């Protein structure tokens, strides 16, 4: 559950002396809960509570009606992947497509630049 993500994020932040953690996910309420728990451990948390992509209902509605701002949806996803890939530390569920893309991007950057974090 969420406790595992909180423990992993806080533990890695302490191990690597990270001061800030970026939290993202498909369920905005879960993201808020994780962010609040991580923040109580003294770690600064960054997350976008208004990110349209995270709302599962919006994803389903977009597939049916195309009523969402698809450009915003795509830009939110791209900015999330970039933020995750550029972070010093990545704690993620590999079931997340965006987390896997971020990991692949990190690995590709590290392969082409030995100084890049992997």
């Amino acid at each position: 559950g969420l406790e595992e993500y909180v423990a992993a994020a806080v533990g890695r932040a302490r191990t690597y002396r990270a001061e800030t953690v970026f939290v993202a996910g498909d369920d905005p309420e879960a993201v808020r809960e994780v962010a609040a728990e991580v923040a109580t451990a003294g770690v600064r948390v960054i997350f976008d509570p208004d990110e349209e992509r995270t709302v599962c209902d919006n994803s389903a509605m977009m597939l049916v009606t195309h009523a969402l701002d698809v450009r915003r949806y795509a830009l939110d996803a791209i900015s999330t992947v970039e933020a995750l890939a550029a972070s010093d530390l990545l704690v993620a569920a590999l079931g997340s497509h965006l987390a896997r893309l971020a990991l692949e991007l990190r690995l590709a950057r590290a392969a082409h630049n030995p100084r890049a974090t992997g």
Side-chain angles (χ1 to χ4, degrees):
L2 295 180
E3 302 84 23
E4 294 175 29
Y5 291 105
V6 171
V10 170
R12 299 306 189 291
R14 288 183 177 150
T15 298
Y16 296 102
R17 298 184 184 143
E19 297 176 2
T20 305
V21 173
F22 175 79
V23 179
D26 296 330
D27 179 352
E29 191 54 41
V31 170
R32 284 183 188 87
E33 288 179 38
V34 170
E37 288 294 321
V38 170
T40 63
V43 178
R44 185 171 153 241
V45 176
I46 298 172
F47 75 102
D48 181 0
D50 297 323
E51 182 182 0
E52 289 184 17
R53 185 195 55 76
T54 62
V55 180
C56 296
D57 292 340
N58 283 348
S59 298
M61 186 190 323
M62 184 181 77
L63 291 173
V64 174
T65 66
H66 299 282
L68 294 180
D69 181 350
V70 178
R71 183 174 178 271
R72 162 102 191 261
Y73 185 94
L75 290 174
D76 282 346
I78 292 167
S79 64
T80 296
V81 169
E82 180 55 37
L84 291 170
S87 65
D88 291 329
L89 177 66
L90 178 59
V91 177
L94 293 181
S96 163
H97 298 303
L98 298 185
R100 286 198 321 267
L101 283 171
L103 179 59
E104 291 292 337
L105 185 54
R106 288 170 66 92
L107 294 172
R109 287 176 176 166
H112 292 289
N113 179 5
R115 291 180 166 181
T117 58

